[in-house]
């Protein structure tokens, strides 16, 4: 994979992208649960927008996919509505003092394409980003020794790794 001098968007907005509302991530939106095969109750699928945008809960206001925030690192073609993956920057506590950062990648209704997966792998390797992703229903984790120990500890204790939610 070659890293080109592609022009990245200066000001990124969701626009018509509603992938985070389609039920690929989970969350409680007012009294309604959003989960796999259960999109946000307030998503207007015809208009591709939020019917309560001005009154959406803090959970929705606070969530931003990495594509919105990492405009220098993540190219335009990786916008979730195009790439069919949502990259979420996560941070979890290791103990009372230390935290660990990682990307959580969620497929959006279809298997991740090889181009997208290749870009994610190469970017994470070059930028030394810890990664957790699900591909065809199976969980995978790649990263530093510290991150892999964090994953192992979470698996042993049955705790979910902080991903797949808004």
């Amino acid at each position: 994979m070659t890293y080109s001098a592609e022009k990245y968007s200066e000001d990124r907005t969701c626009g018509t992208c509603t992938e985070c509302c389609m039920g690929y991530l989970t969350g409680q939106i007012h009294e309604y649960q959003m989960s796999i095969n259960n999109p946000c109750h307030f998503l207007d699928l015809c208009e591709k927008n939020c019917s309560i945008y001005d009154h959406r809960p803090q959970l929705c206001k606070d969530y931003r996919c990495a594509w919105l925030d990492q405009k220098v690192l993540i190219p335009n073609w990786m916008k979730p509505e195009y790439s069919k993956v949502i990259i979420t920057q996560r941070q979890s506590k290791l103990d009372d003092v230390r935290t660990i950062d990682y990307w959580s990648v969620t497929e959006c209704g279809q298997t991740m394409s090889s181009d997208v997966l290749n870009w994610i792998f190469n970017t994470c390797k070059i930028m030394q980003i810890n990664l957790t992703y699900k591909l065809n229903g199976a969980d995978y984790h790649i990263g530093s020794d510290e991150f892999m120990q964090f994953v192992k500890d979470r698996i042993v204790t049955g705790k979910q790794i902080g991903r797949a939610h808004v």
Side-chain angles (χ1 to χ4, degrees):
M1 163 130 316
T2 313
Y3 286 80
S4 66
E6 174 187 352
K7 177 147 174 50
Y8 292 77
S9 298
E10 293 296 320
D11 294 319
R12 290 185 171 180
T13 63
C14 298
T16 59
C17 183
T18 57
E19 297 299 319
C20 64
C21 306
M22 294 295 293
Y24 307 119
L25 305 179
T26 62
Q28 182 81 26
I29 315 300
H30 293 303
E31 65 274 12
Y32 299 97
Q33 183 66 37
M34 180 176 66
S35 58
I36 301 299
N37 298 322
N38 188 30
C40 178
H41 177 78
F42 302 101
L43 175 62
D44 182 334
L45 291 170
C46 294
E47 297 292 323
K48 290 197 81 170
N49 64 28
C50 176
S51 64
I52 61 163
Y53 188 81
D54 292 334
H55 306 288
R56 70 196 186 281
Q58 197 62 45
L59 174 77
C60 298
K61 290 176 184 176
D62 291 344
Y63 180 76
R64 292 178 58 85
C65 72
W67 180 85
L68 283 171
D69 288 338
Q70 309 253 346
K71 56 188 165 216
V72 173
L73 181 59
I74 302 175
N76 292 334
W77 65 269
M78 282 294 294
K79 185 175 184 177
E81 71 180 322
Y82 307 139
S83 65
K84 297 300 180 192
V85 299
I86 300 170
I87 301 172
T88 303
Q89 177 68 44
R90 296 280 185 212
Q91 185 176 72
S92 291
K93 289 181 86 166
L94 292 173
D95 53 40
D96 290 339
V97 178
R98 299 175 305 142
T99 59
I100 194 152
D101 296 320
Y102 55 97
W103 276 2
S104 172
V105 179
T106 304
E107 292 177 317
C108 297
Q110 64 187 47
T111 301
M112 206 178 315
S113 76
S114 58
D115 288 344
V116 168
L117 192 57
N118 189 42
W119 182 87
I120 291 168
F121 283 165
N122 283 322
T123 301
C124 287
K125 182 177 179 182
I126 291 167
M127 303 304 293
Q128 297 181 351
I129 299 169
N130 296 309
L131 173 65
T132 182
Y133 66 101
K134 188 173 276 212
L135 184 64
N136 290 324
D139 289 312
Y140 299 94
H141 316 283
I142 301 170
S144 66
D145 291 342
E146 185 178 51
F147 178 69
M148 297 308 289
Q149 184 61 51
F150 162 75
V151 169
K152 181 180 174 186
D153 292 346
R154 288 295 178 115
I155 291 170
V156 167
T157 60
K159 294 180 182 175
Q160 183 179 11
I161 296 167
R163 66 184 210 31
H165 57 83
V166 174

